[in-house]
Amino acid sequence: MPLGIVEHVVGFVLALPVPIYSSIVYALVTGMRGLPHFLGMYVRGLYYREKLGLMEPNVFIDQGVFFAYPKEVELKEFSYIDKNVIIMSRTAKVGRRVHIAPRVFVSGGGDFEIEDYACIATNSNIITSTEVLKDGARCSGPMVSADQRNVFRGRVLIRKDAFIGANATLLPGVTIERGSVIGAGVTVAKDTAPWGIYVGAKTQQLGERQPVKWPDN
């Protein structure tokens, strides 16, 4: 109980929304060294427990992680957000025992969810919104007036036990079904089949993997 009270007080003080102070604290907390060093991980745990919409016990947030909308982020127990991950989606839900590897980028505008026991390998891109090339709309990004753009905002869902390989790209509105494996460098523009293995530039299904046999823990 005493330790829990101290941790709550420290987290509350770190997360105070005071101008200048909050910016300095954020820079210090996010810049502290991550694994295998313990202190930075511990302090970030106290800080983000106050900042995020939901943060269950035993969540690991490493150095240089950025959440655009912290109050819309939910992290379940034993999830690990690795170094320099950027999550800019409107909402983000991360399941139990999920690993999001270093330098994964989740773009803004739409919604993102990854279910239990899934994984995203390093340098992958999850695109939750995109410019639509129709009706004479401009497509040069957010610096253009809203009335000149046609933006599609979708939900990217990665279901349980799926694996996203390094440098893969998932486009808006895509669902990676349970157990699907997306090979390195693959761009996925449509939903996958459960337990399917996808490789190559045309996202061809190579085959199927055996379903996971182990119970959840």
Side-chain angles (χ1 to χ4, degrees), residues 5 18 35 39 73 82 91 101 130-131 137 178 185-186 194 198 202 215:
I5 293 172
V18 179
L35 291 177
L39 181 60
V73 173
D82 218 321
T91 64
T130 188
E131 307 284 339
R178 182 174 183 183
V186 171
Y198 295 83
K202 294 184 178 179

Side-chain angles (χ1 to χ4, degrees), residues 9-35:
V9 171
V10 172
F12 176 80
V13 171
L14 288 174
L16 286 173
V18 179
I20 301 178
Y21 167 81
S22 60
S23 298
I24 294 173
V25 170
Y26 174 78
L28 291 174
V29 168
T30 57
M32 296 179 72
R33 297 175 72 179
L35 291 177

Side-chain angles (χ1 to χ4, degrees), residues 51 95 130 212:
K51 284 290 188 179
T130 188
V212 171

Side-chain angles (χ1 to χ4, degrees), residues 152-167:
F152 171 71
R153 296 176 175 86
R155 175 176 181 244
V156 176
L157 172 60
I158 302 173
R159 293 202 178 275
K160 186 176 179 180
D161 289 311
F163 176 83
I164 312 300
N167 293 294

